[in-house]
């Protein structure tokens, strides 16, 4: 292969890899060619060869559906946040929030009691009690300050980010499930066997096979 052809092949591979990763849905070689031909001027032969090369290199995945090959991005490269992780973060947020509220309430009670004592005629015993209350209140304030300044708890911003990530993954899960269903339904229109036989032959595993249910948004 000449240098010019090598560079063209490498360029096509880069374009196709980026496209499959950004779209993150299954395509046939004909689909990819039709979607990119006008913008990048890729020939169908170059598209087919580039997709096969990327699959051989392990950069994308390849599956056979009947007589047609389908290509899609390697799903292992995408992060997954489980419901258990989200529930753990929620529990941690609730515990820290309750702790902060408890300390704030204690300080308010201390301040109210101190104000009431200082407004009355003081005696040596009352002066001593006031000093003890001031010291105790200062201790609670220091604890509250340490909690607010700590770097190992979940901030409201981090909590909001976790919820946004969960919503994004939930939306992506639903979108991929819908695309997979639409694709399999389209293939089954011309498939001579049952849906169950089709899934067994091509190695498709559904959420239901693993007792996995799409969580509520």
């Amino acid at each position: 292969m000449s240098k010019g052809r090598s560079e063209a092949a490498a360029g096509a591979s880069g374009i196709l890899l980026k496209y499959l990763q950004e779209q993150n849905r299954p395509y046939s070689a004909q689909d990819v060619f039709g979607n990119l031909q006008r913008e990048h001027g890729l020939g169908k032969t170059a598209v087919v060869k580039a997709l096969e090369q990327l699959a051989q290199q392990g950069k994308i995945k390849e599956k056979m559906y009947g007589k047609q090959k389908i290509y899609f991005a390697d799903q292992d490269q995408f992060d997954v946040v489980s419901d258990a992780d989200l529930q753990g973060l929620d529990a941690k947020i609730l515990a820290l929030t309750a702790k902060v509220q408890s300390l704030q309430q204690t300080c308010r009670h201390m301040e109210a009691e101190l104000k009431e004592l200082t407004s009355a005629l003081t005696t040596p015993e009352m002066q001593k009690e006031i000093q003890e209350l001031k010291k105790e209140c200062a201790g609670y304030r220091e604890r509250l300050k340490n909690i607010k300044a700590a770097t190992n708890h979940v901030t409201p911003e981090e909590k909001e980010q976790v919820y946004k990530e969960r919503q994004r993954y939930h939306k992506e899960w639903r979108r991929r499930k819908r695309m997979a269903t639409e694709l399999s339904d389209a293939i089954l229109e011309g498939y001579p066997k049952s849906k169950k036989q089709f899934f067994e032959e091509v190695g498709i595993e559904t959420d239901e096979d693993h007792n996995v249910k799409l969580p509520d948004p």
Side-chain angles (χ1 to χ4, degrees):
M1 182 183 294
S2 67
K3 181 178 179 181
R5 289 184 178 180
S6 298
E7 291 177 348
S13 296
I15 292 170
L16 298 181
L17 179 59
K18 181 179 179 182
Y19 179 72
L20 290 178
Q21 289 176 340
E22 289 178 346
Q23 299 299 314
N24 196 21
R25 57 170 294 178
Y27 287 108
S28 67
Q30 179 62 41
D31 293 332
V32 176
F33 166 69
N35 294 341
L36 299 181
Q37 190 273 336
R38 179 176 297 180
E39 180 179 357
H40 297 283
L42 299 176
K44 186 173 181 180
T45 301
V47 169
V48 172
K49 289 183 178 180
L51 289 172
E52 291 178 347
Q53 184 180 23
L54 288 170
Q56 292 173 359
Q57 294 171 349
K59 294 181 179 180
I60 62 173
K61 295 297 183 180
E62 172 188 271
K63 275 189 176 293
M64 288 294 300
Y65 290 102
K67 296 181 179 181
Q68 188 177 44
K69 288 184 179 180
I70 300 297
Y71 300 91
F72 51 92
D74 186 356
Q75 300 301 299
D76 292 340
Q77 66 183 302
F78 300 109
D79 295 332
V80 176
V81 177
S82 67
D83 285 343
D85 292 335
L86 293 172
Q87 291 172 1
L89 287 172
D90 285 340
K92 192 173 183 180
I93 291 169
L94 290 175
L96 288 169
T97 301
K99 190 173 184 180
V100 169
Q101 291 176 345
S102 176
L103 289 173
Q104 288 175 334
Q105 185 176 14
T106 300
C107 282
R108 285 195 295 268
H109 288 165
M110 291 292 183
E111 290 171 349
E113 189 173 354
L114 180 59
K115 184 178 181 180
E116 181 179 350
L117 287 171
T118 54
S119 64
L121 293 174
T122 61
T123 64
E125 291 78 10
M126 293 179 68
Q127 287 284 3
K128 181 179 179 180
E129 186 174 354
I130 289 172
Q131 293 301 319
E132 290 176 353
L133 287 172
K134 285 183 176 180
K135 183 178 180 180
E136 188 175 359
C137 188
Y140 280 116
R141 286 185 178 278
E142 184 64 23
R143 289 178 60 189
L144 180 59
K145 178 181 177 182
N146 290 337
I147 288 176
K148 289 183 176 181
T151 59
N152 61 346
H153 69 268
V154 179
T155 65
E157 292 77 13
E158 291 173 333
K159 177 182 177 181
E160 181 65 19
Q161 182 62 30
V162 169
Y163 282 132
K164 286 182 179 180
E165 288 293 318
R166 183 180 188 275
Q167 291 175 349
R168 182 167 67 85
Y169 288 125
H170 180 275
K171 182 178 179 181
E172 186 64 19
W173 184 352
R174 186 179 296 277
R175 187 175 70 86
R176 294 183 190 180
K177 187 178 181 68
R178 184 179 67 253
M179 288 191 302
T181 301
E182 291 174 353
L183 180 62
S184 62
D185 289 345
I187 295 173
L188 285 169
E189 290 180 359
Y191 193 73
K193 300 180 182 179
S194 67
K195 182 177 181 179
K196 181 179 180 181
Q197 290 174 315
F198 168 68
F199 280 12
E200 290 176 351
E201 288 182 5
V202 300
I204 296 177
E205 295 180 350
T206 66
D207 293 344
E208 290 73 17
D209 292 336
H210 296 276
N211 295 320
V212 176
K213 185 178 180 182
L214 188 66
D216 294 331

